[in-house]
Amino acid sequence: MPQSQVRSRTGLKLPPEVINIVGTSAALGAVVAIGSTIVGVLPDPTAWEFAAAYLAPGAIAFLAYWWVAQKL
């Protein structure tokens, strides 16, 4: 193949560790935001409802992480 037809890939290549840190931070932020929204909607949450409001989105985030890890 002639040299003129070969394209060089230019762009930012992030290390996998940085992508993992950013993804984990985004997931943690989403879990906290969703959990606090659920707690804010409840009229007078008990301790169990408060815990469940944060555990439910956390469990879904863990399920998504586990599913992606199985694909790798």
Side-chain angles (χ1 to χ4, degrees), residues 3-72:
Q3 190 71 345
S4 63
Q5 292 181 358
V6 176
R7 292 184 185 167
S8 64
R9 292 185 81 183
T10 59
L12 183 62
K13 176 88 170 115
L14 293 175
E17 293 84 8
V18 172
I19 295 171
N20 190 5
I21 291 169
V22 170
T24 302
S25 299
L28 182 61
V31 167
V32 170
I34 293 170
S36 63
T37 302
I38 293 172
V39 168
V41 169
L42 295 173
D44 188 25
T46 64
W48 286 105
E49 291 171 338
F50 188 85
Y54 285 97
L55 287 175
I60 293 170
F62 178 75
L63 178 68
Y65 167 78
W66 176 82
W67 184 65
V68 168
Q70 296 299 313
K71 298 283 184 182
L72 297 179

